[in-house]
Amino acid sequence: MGNRVVLALGGNALGDDLASQMEAVKHTSKAIADLIEAGNEVVVAHGNGPQVGMINNAFTEYGKVDSKYPYMPLSMCVAMSQAYIGYDLQNALREELKNRGINKTVTALITQVIVDENDPAFKNPTKPIGPFMTKEESEDATKRGMTVVEDSGRGYRRVVASPRPQQIVEIDTIKALLDAGEVVIACGGGGIPVVEEGNHLRGVGAVIDKDFASCVMAKQVNADNFIVLTAVEKVAVKFGTPEQEWLSSMNIEEANVHIGNNEFAPGSMLPKVQAAMEFAQSGEGRKSLITSLEKASEGLEGKTGTWISVK
């Protein structure tokens, strides 16, 4: 019997547009199917950066043509991206499994993630989304409650908060599907960010980091391993220099030293390492793996990748 694994797919596994996505998910599904064929229970999370931007831009442009259609709330854009990425991915993975004689149902679940309305990120939105605006457009956006900043002389852009995920709303459904032997796709794009108002869940204009949301999900489904997929086979220190060193493993103390030395880029490898550390510290025997999509199966067998554990 294999392990229960949460797999966090990077954006490079999904392509940048509809045509490339269709091709990319076929390749991605082969790597996921390898893990399933080896006997592992698999939950798949994925990014949505290019896709949610495309949706947001499309509605923004349409609103300029027809005033009856104002801008689409970001939470809705995330929901749309979850649905159509999940649609492509579940069909590609279903086909790949059937081609291998594996009779498993694949379910893509629209997933909401609770965030704290008082998260400091809401007071300091930094994540740019959507198209560049003129000064006049930015003033109109500000009147509609958006936060807009000037972007390096190229124009104005909306920025949104990126709060930390607290709880997966549909976690019991995810667990039930896993226990029934299904393959689950959830927390797409980090999940739809919502805040609790009594029994009501209200979508908020934010984006949640996919790796941190996947980590929360991994903890809540009691996963054995959390795999963060990226463009490289292993994590490196002194990256891009003659002293570059690929790491096969890190314990928490070593990882903290590397973070203190600014070895990992804030917008790239740092959140992946931090999410991997968080999962590894969340329970006895839990370990995280950072590697490339193509090496995920070999990594889980201990042949490659960077393993992160408490000791």
Side-chain angles (χ1 to χ4, degrees), residues 164-193:
R164 283 296 187 104
Q166 303 294 315
Q167 171 72 30
I168 313 297
V169 176
E170 291 78 15
I171 195 65
D172 289 339
T173 304
I174 295 169
K175 289 178 180 177
L177 290 168
L178 271 176
D179 290 342
E182 297 199 21
V183 182
V184 186
I185 301 166
C187 283
I192 304 164

Side-chain angles (χ1 to χ4, degrees), residues 48-279:
N48 71 341
Q51 294 85 359
V52 77
M54 180 177 65
I55 293 168
N56 184 257
N57 290 355
F59 276 102
T60 298
E61 290 304 311
Y62 190 57
K64 295 176 183 177
V65 175
D66 190 336
S67 60
K68 290 187 299 184
Y69 296 91
Y71 84 98
M72 181 64 63
L74 186 58
S75 56
M76 294 290 191
C77 295
V78 174
M80 291 179 191
S81 71
Q82 279 192 1
Y84 93 76
I85 293 170
Y87 163 66
D88 275 351
L89 189 54
Q90 75 176 10
N91 279 347
L93 183 53
R94 173 184 177 275
E95 181 177 344
E96 180 63 28
L97 291 173
K98 282 189 171 294
N99 287 343
R100 300 185 186 202
I102 300 171
N103 187 26
K104 275 186 174 289
T105 304
V106 184
T107 301
L109 189 67
I110 301 299
T111 316
Q112 302 172 97
V113 175
I114 295 171
V115 298
D116 183 354
E117 193 170 17
N118 297 313
D119 191 301
F122 284 108
K123 294 183 179 179
N124 182 35
T126 57
K127 181 71 173 176
I129 65 162
F132 287 100
M133 308 179 210
T134 64
K135 192 173 190 330
E136 292 73 22
E137 289 171 333
S138 72
E139 290 170 351
D140 180 61
T142 301
K143 289 177 184 176
R144 287 187 279 146
M146 299 182 194
T147 301
V148 180
V149 298
E150 197 277 329
D151 191 330
S152 306
R154 296 179 294 175
Y156 297 82
R157 290 188 80 187
R158 180 187 180 190
V159 290
V160 298
S162 186
R164 283 296 187 104
Q166 303 294 315
Q167 171 72 30
I168 313 297
V169 176
E170 291 78 15
I171 195 65
D172 289 339
T173 304
I174 295 169
K175 289 178 180 177
L177 290 168
L178 271 176
D179 290 342
E182 297 199 21
V183 182
V184 186
I185 301 166
C187 283
I192 304 164
V194 296
V195 296
E196 291 183 295
E197 296 178 340
N199 290 331
H200 177 65
L201 295 174
R202 174 172 58 86
V204 292
V207 293
I208 302 172
D209 183 274
K210 169 261 305 174
D211 295 316
F212 286 123
S214 302
C215 172
V216 171
M217 183 165 62
K219 290 188 289 185
Q220 293 182 344
V221 301
N222 196 29
D224 299 294
N225 299 121
F226 174 43
I227 305 179
V228 183
L229 299 180
T230 185
V232 292
E233 187 173 336
K234 295 183 178 183
V235 177
V237 292
K238 309 298 182 186
F239 186 74
T241 72
E243 293 79 34
Q244 177 175 297
E245 178 186 355
W246 297 106
L247 304 176
S248 296
S249 64
M250 283 189 290
N251 60 37
I252 300 302
E253 183 179 352
E254 291 167 338
N256 279 322
V257 169
H258 293 318
I259 290 171
N261 291 334
N262 298 315
E263 291 287 359
F264 310 128
S268 179
M269 188 58 76
L270 180 60
K272 299 181 188 306
V273 171
Q274 290 174 325
M277 292 168 64
E278 183 179 322
F279 176 76

